[in-house]
Each structure stands twice: as structure tokens, then as C-alpha cells.
Amino acid sequence: MSTLIKQEIFKLARKRSTWLSTIILVVLQVVLALIVNKYPDVLSIESIYMDGFLGLELIFFFMVAACSSIITMEFQYNTAKELFYRKYSRGQILISKWITLFLYSVYWFILTYVVTFGLKLIFFPHFDLTKNVGHGTTLVISQLQYVGSQFLSYWLILTLVLLLANLFKSSAVATSVGLIGYFLINIVSGLMVLLIEKWDWIKWNPLTMLMYPAQVQENTTKAITHLTINELFTGNVIYIVIFLGIGYVIYRKRTV
Amino acid sequence: MNNTLEIKHLEKNFGKKKILTDISFTVTKGHIVGLVGANGAGKTTIMKAILGLVGFSNGTITINGESVSLNKHQALSKVGALIENPGIYPYLTGWDHLRLFAEKNITKSMMTELVSALKMDKYIHQKAKGYSLGMKQKLGIALAFLNNPDFVILDEPMNGLDPQATFDLRQLITTKANEGTTFLISSHILGELEKLAKDLVIIDRGQIIKQTTTYELLSTGEKYFVLQTSDDDRAQQLLLDHNFNLKEDISILVPNIDNNSLANALKVLINNNIDVLDVQHKDNDLEVSLLELLQHGEEGVK
């Protein structure tokens, strides 16, 4: 299995887009830090800092792209045969891809917040991370909770992207659904309130689960979701397991 | 264990359509076996089934005594393969491909040696997206040989190769076979296969119609003599008059039906004052023998 993970990381590291996206992320974070520094009245450092100088939004798109291509490229380049005929089972190959993507997402989160912290030290030395943000929580703790919930929530969409990429062998479909899912949550939250009010069981749908980070940040979101933080956490995990499980069954039967 | 590969009663359907019917054959250790048949006969499907790339409805496939299926691949640990077109990552160099798939025991010098054997030195460090069809094919072949496999499966390996590269590949296959590597090769270039394969498995419409040796198949074909004389027209007429069954040609072809046919033909010609200038012994080549066999199979079906 470690050989397969090394192979996946090797392929990822050899892609120009991996390094290009890293540069884009850092450059945009620096640019935003400069803007916030220059116009502190227009943009609040607190919210921008929480989102890692917009890095948190950006890395989602990079991860959707990686998830949609890691499976489909093997069919596009006709390399699936090279992978499948060797001694490893299809299940092992798929799990190695999941692990690689997990490590890749950890890389993005760490990079985003290391750069964010560096920018804070350079441009906002007086911005206090230990200040109380309410409910007896410091900003740094609140940020960790938010980033953690965002990480889980991203993975809910990413596992759906992986499943669709696997099912349709098409990056386009998978990427579209990933991005639509991301934007949809903001659009349909109003509609969701109505639906959940009428039929309570609808609260268990995956879109509600995507409101987990919002509820972690602002507990009033509970009025929309009708779910506790713990229920949202468990719901996210269950959906992730379901999407990965379906993908695993499909991939094991995949022929080339 | 003498057989590297054993296939027993292999069957495969696509929906209601039967793709493979009761395929059974063995590949002896250290042999080069040719898998031959027309396009769509089922050669690639058999190879894919051996490699666990596609499932099958019935039958068993074992490599060195260990069974192989869609999700059971342990027996493939010492197998190298090239199936259909080579799978190439365009953003990687040829060398990256070799590094990617090389097992721990494969050293840099072993990889360099393989690259040189296939004469890929000039472009191995270039990105594969710029490779020609032949260059990609050679990289695919290199990947099949990379981990010093005991058993190599090559599907149309000469596709896109120039004569020099075809010669180099033949040399490589022969060298490896002499070292004990077993080969299963399909090729529509029968002349090449004839030079390589000791054994043949002939399939037609998803069924094995013969498992034989190349020597045996060639010897079952027609043998004949081609004569050149001082007066070919008269010689031809004379032989026809003496009930010789001649083949069509400007030369006189005397079917080698028995040991005396040449001697008898020469007697007739010499007795009639015709000088014999040249005598050549001809056999059918693999292509002709195979076509005859497939034609008989078709007639049998009709």
C-alpha cells in the first residue's frame, strides 16, 4: 500500500498544476493581506484571518480539481491498465488514492494557515489571537474549531466528487457537482428553512450537513438545521463513509 | 511446475453475446507462445482476463499455480504486460514512468540498461506528451520488462515500431526467453511471430481452433518445388501431360506430395531434353498456413 501511495504522490508532485496552484494561493493571500493592511476599515482582519486570507475558499477548488482528476486521468490517459494489472487489488489502488488526497488536503490546510500566521506576524503584529470572541472562547480556539469543521465539510463534498468521477469517469461532471454543491448551500439555505419546517426529516440531507462550519461559527444556524453540532459532525462522517463505500464497490468492479 | 499459465474452460459473455467459449490452453515455462487470430477473435480479451483486467463468467486462470481474477492479483506480482496501446502520463518523462513503476530491487543501472536495449536513450528524459507512436510503444514495452518479470504478456508489441525497433525488440525477447522468461505474444505481423514463437494458440471467434507448435503448423502446410528450366512453357505442358498437379505460377511448381515427385519430374524433363536450371524447396509461411487453417474452420462452421 505504501508503494501505491508513493506512486500517487509522485504523480501529483510531477504535475505542474500542483506547484502553480501553490504559488497562486500564496500570492493571493499576500495580495489580500496587503489590501487589508491598507484599507482596514473596508475589510475586517478578523474574518479575513479566519478564512486564511481567502486561502480556505481557494484550496477547496484545488482539491475538487485533484479529486475529480485522480481517478478520471487514469482512464483518460489509458493508464488504468498499467495500475490494474499489477499485484495490487483495485480496492488497494482506490484507498491509496484516498489517502493521497487526504494528505494533499492536509498539505493545503497547513500551507494556508502557516502563510496566514506568517502574514499576521508581518502585517498585523498587534492583532490579538488570544482575544475573547464570545462564549469564553479565544479567537485562536474559535479558528481551530472553524477550520476543523470546514475540513470535514469539504471532505463531504470531495467524497461526492470522487464518487461521481468514479461513476461517470468524467472530471467535468465531478468538478461541476463539487462547485455547484459549494455554491448551492448559500443559495438553498432559505428554501431549506421552509422544507425543514414542513418535514423535519429533511434536515438529515447532505446539504444540511454542509452547514456544519456555519453552525460551529454561529450557533444561531441551528434554527435552520434543527441539528446539534454533534449531529452535524456525525452526519458528515456518515455521508463521507457512504460516498466512499459506494465508490469502493463501483471501483472494485471497474474493468478496462 | 512446468506450466507458467494454465487456462481451463474460460468463458466470457458481454450481455447475451458470447465473447470467449471454453478456452483452455497452457503456456510452458520459458516458452514463447504466440496467440493468433483475426481481429475481434478474442486475443486481447483473453490477455485482459489473464491480467485480471476483465472478469469472466466461467473457468479458471492460474499463473504458477495461483489463481487470478478481477480482484485477486497476487499471482501477477512477477508478470509484465503491454495491452493494446501503452498507458502514458503525458506530463511525465519516460524516465519518470520507469521510476514510478520500478520495484525496490530495480536499480538505476538496470533501468539504464533497459533503456539502451530499446534504444530510448535520446528521449527518455523528455516529457512523454511529445513522443511519437513508436516512442510510446517502446516505453510501454520497457514498462512491461521493467521489474524483471517471469512472465511477459505482449499484445501487438510491434505496433508502430520501425524495422530497427522491431529487430531490437525481437533480440530483447529472445535474450529474455533464453534466460527463462515466459512470453505470451499476440501479433498480426505473423512473419515476426514465426521468428519468435515456439508454440501457437490459434483462436477464431472466441474459440481455440488449434494449439500447436510453429514447426508443426508450418509442416502441415503445402510443400513444393519451384523449377526453372531452359523452356518453361514446354516443361509445364510435359509435366501436365504426365499427370503432375502443378501450382499456378510462371515457374513450374511441383507439389512435394511424395519423396519421388521431384525425381520423377526431373526424369520427364531430362528425357525430353529440357535443362533444369534451378530447383527451390518451398514451404507455406505462417501466414498462409494460418489462413488455410482459419478457412477450414470457417467452412466447418458453414
Side-chain angles (χ1 to χ4, degrees):
Chain A
M1 181 67 90
S2 65
T3 306
L4 287 171
I5 295 168
K6 276 182 202 161
Q7 285 181 353
E8 291 301 329
I9 292 173
F10 182 88
K11 285 186 268 183
L12 206 54
R14 279 285 188 274
K15 275 188 175 176
R16 192 183 290 174
S17 58
T18 304
W19 302 111
L20 200 63
S21 49
T22 300
I23 294 167
I24 290 171
L25 171 71
V26 176
V27 168
L28 285 180
Q29 282 181 295
V30 171
V31 168
L32 199 68
L34 288 169
I35 293 171
V36 175
N37 193 35
K38 197 168 181 188
Y39 306 103
D41 300 334
V42 181
L43 291 165
S44 127
I45 172 66
E46 198 171 308
S47 65
I48 293 289
Y49 185 81
M50 273 289 203
D51 278 344
F53 293 98
L54 285 189
L56 199 59
E57 273 76 22
L58 203 56
I59 61 174
F60 173 74
F61 301 115
F62 296 155
M63 286 192 288
V64 165
C67 283
S68 63
S69 67
I70 199 164
I71 291 173
T72 56
M73 79 165 175
E74 306 291 1
F75 297 102
Q76 185 192 340
Y77 299 147
N78 200 23
T79 45
K81 281 179 300 194
E82 285 291 338
L83 293 180
F84 285 179
Y85 89 72
R86 291 167 199 272
K87 63 183 170 188
Y88 304 102
S89 69
R90 282 164 176 68
Q92 286 174 306
I93 292 167
L94 185 64
I95 291 169
S96 73
K97 287 182 183 291
W98 292 345
I99 294 171
T100 306
L101 287 170
F102 179 79
L103 296 174
Y104 190 54
S105 64
V106 170
Y107 159 77
W108 281 122
F109 272 80
I110 289 176
L111 178 72
T112 301
Y113 283 96
V114 164
V115 174
T116 301
F117 189 66
L119 292 171
K120 177 234 167 296
L121 291 180
I122 297 165
F123 297 109
F124 312 96
H126 303 299
F127 177 53
D128 184 11
L129 297 180
T130 58
K131 78 170 179 182
N132 197 316
V133 287
H135 315 291
T137 322
T138 60
L139 188 114
V140 72
I141 296 294
S142 169
Q143 185 188 33
L144 283 174
Q145 288 171 341
Y146 175 63
V147 172
S149 62
Q150 198 64 269
F151 184 81
L152 189 69
S153 171
Y154 277 2
W155 264 98
L156 174 58
I157 303 181
L158 295 177
T159 49
L160 180 64
V161 170
L162 275 169
L163 172 62
L164 294 171
N166 186 358
L167 200 61
F168 297 108
K169 291 198 266 181
S170 156
S171 312
V173 173
T175 309
S176 310
V177 171
L179 299 185
I180 290 168
Y182 179 79
F183 291 115
L184 202 63
I185 190 61
N186 298 317
I187 299 163
V188 302
S189 55
L191 179 67
M192 201 105 80
V193 177
L194 295 173
L195 290 173
I196 293 173
E197 282 296 332
K198 199 166 184 187
W199 298 289
D200 190 60
W201 56 268
I202 285 184
K203 68 186 179 188
W204 296 107
N205 81 81
L207 282 174
T208 316
M209 301 305 155
L210 293 176
M211 290 182 177
Y212 176 45
Q215 194 160 326
V216 165
Q217 215 176 9
E218 188 52 71
N219 206 31
T220 51
T221 312
K222 194 179 175 186
I224 301 173
T225 63
H226 287 203
L227 293 167
T228 64
I229 295 278
N230 283 343
E231 284 171 337
L232 282 169
F233 173 83
T234 313
N236 271 281
V237 172
I238 290 172
Y239 274 113
I240 287 171
V241 170
I242 290 172
F243 291 152
L244 289 179
I246 298 170
Y248 185 83
V249 172
I250 294 168
Y251 202 75
R252 267 174 66 87
K253 290 178 181 170
R254 179 69 71 208
T255 57
V256 285
Chain B
M1 189 174 298
N2 206 28
N3 289 329
T4 296
L5 172 71
E6 280 186 28
I7 298 183
K8 286 180 188 164
H9 312 297
L10 186 71
E11 308 228 334
K12 178 161 181 64
N13 307 320
F14 280 141
K16 283 183 181 174
K17 195 179 174 194
K18 270 209 157 176
I19 303 298
L20 300 176
T21 310
D22 198 23
I23 299 284
S24 298
F25 68 90
T26 55
V27 173
T28 310
K29 200 171 184 169
H31 279 216
I32 302 174
V33 177
L35 190 59
V36 285
N39 287 342
K43 305 186 292 288
T44 302
T45 309
I46 291 173
M47 288 180 153
K48 282 184 172 178
I50 298 168
L51 293 166
L53 294 175
V54 295
F56 43 89
S57 340
N58 274 313
T60 57
I61 298 172
T62 55
I63 294 175
N64 294 321
E66 211 175 329
S67 69
V68 178
S69 67
L70 200 63
N71 280 300
K72 202 172 171 203
H73 282 208
Q74 206 48 46
L76 295 164
S77 60
K78 292 300 282 175
V79 176
L82 169 63
I83 298 292
E84 293 171 326
N85 312 314
I88 305 284
Y89 299 97
Y91 57 91
L92 296 182
T93 66
W95 188 256
D96 283 340
H97 280 86
L98 298 178
R99 279 183 61 196
L100 179 66
F101 289 110
E103 285 174 3
K104 283 175 190 160
N105 58 335
I106 303 301
T107 61
K108 199 178 162 188
S109 65
M110 288 158 117
M111 282 157 59
T112 310
E113 200 180 312
L114 180 61
V115 167
S116 298
L118 288 163
K119 296 195 173 69
M120 299 166 69
D121 314 69
K122 277 186 186 167
Y123 55 84
I124 195 70
H125 294 290
Q126 290 172 16
K127 289 233 165 97
K129 65 181 168 194
Y131 283 15
S132 67
L133 181 68
M135 287 150 98
K136 283 181 185 167
Q137 186 73 2
K138 282 208 251 182
L139 181 56
I141 292 163
L143 290 173
F145 281 93
L146 178 65
N147 293 314
N148 289 327
D150 294 336
F151 181 29
V152 179
I153 296 175
L154 300 172
D155 184 16
E156 300 288 352
M158 279 86 177
N159 264 0
L161 297 186
D162 60 28
Q164 178 63 51
T166 305
F167 175 79
D168 295 337
L169 174 60
R170 201 165 60 229
Q171 291 292 103
L172 184 64
I173 292 172
T174 310
T175 308
K176 293 285 178 188
N178 289 339
E179 288 168 6
T181 308
T182 309
F183 286 87
L184 179 65
I185 304 173
S186 81
S187 178
H188 67 275
I189 308 170
L190 295 174
E192 283 303 325
L193 213 51
E194 187 180 338
K195 289 173 195 161
L196 281 169
K198 206 181 269 183
D199 305 322
L200 292 173
V201 177
I202 300 156
I203 65 164
D204 189 26
R205 281 167 288 191
Q207 283 178 293
I208 292 185
I209 55 170
K210 202 172 180 75
Q211 179 169 16
T212 179
T213 62
T214 310
Y215 176 79
E216 197 181 310
L217 183 65
L218 291 173
S219 56
T220 53
E222 281 186 320
K223 291 179 174 185
Y224 47 91
F225 300 104
V226 180
L227 305 181
Q228 276 187 313
T229 66
S230 54
D231 185 349
D232 281 354
D233 290 341
R234 207 173 131 234
Q236 197 169 24
Q237 192 54 54
L238 272 168
L239 290 172
L240 285 171
D241 292 345
H242 285 82
N243 299 323
F244 280 91
N245 190 11
L246 304 185
K247 285 179 74 93
E248 299 163 24
D249 202 281
I250 52 160
S251 304
I252 300 159
L253 299 143
V254 184
N256 183 18
I257 45 172
D258 63 61
N259 290 336
N260 297 323
S261 60
L262 177 64
N264 292 339
L266 292 178
K267 266 184 213 166
V268 170
L269 297 175
I270 291 162
N271 288 342
N272 287 280
N273 298 320
I274 294 175
D275 296 333
V276 177
L277 306 174
D278 189 27
V279 179
Q280 283 181 31
H281 183 183
K282 289 265 183 181
D283 288 338
N284 273 352
D285 60 14
L286 187 58
E287 192 167 51
V288 176
S289 303
L290 188 72
L291 285 173
E292 280 172 4
L293 191 66
L294 290 175
Q295 209 168 5
H296 287 152
E298 238 166 64
E299 280 160 11
V301 170
K302 282 172 193 172

